[in-house]
Amino acid sequence: MNSAQDKRQTTEDHHDQEVSVVLSGCPEEDARTVFDALRAAFTTDRSSSDVPHEAEGSRPTAWAATVDVSEARVISGSVTLGAPVTVDVQGGYRAVDRLREGLADAFAVRVVGTVSGDQEEEVRLRLENK
């Protein structure tokens, strides 16, 4: 391969390791707990100072992050949620599996819905206390 192909392949491989994560319909404390667990297990685009806050008004609030699952770390022990949290994740099949496995160190994780595509899938996960 030439350098342009190498660069394109590296970019494609990195993109295959990213998962979009969206939380909604949960208290901001539980959203923070989930994002803290994601940061402990993976690299994300949300810093620890980027704390979820409820938006004012009658519309539901959604919080989003992009997670790089290429280098997973083990979360030491479970964490506590105030109530079960529904998380929508989207990415390549292997990347979504890695994310789910990483979250399983901290939560009881159950798949409650999937939409499969050609190269990506969207999965709805239910996170509960272990």
Side-chain angles (χ1 to χ4, degrees), residues 77-95:
S78 60
V79 295
T80 303
L81 296 168
V85 174
T86 301
V87 180
D88 292 314
V89 300
Q90 181 178 4
Y93 288 92
R94 281 185 272 149

Side-chain angles (χ1 to χ4, degrees), residues 37-52:
L38 285 169
R39 265 192 308 281
F42 306 104
T43 301
T44 77
D45 66 345
R46 287 186 75 102
S47 71
S48 58
S49 62
D50 188 4
V51 179

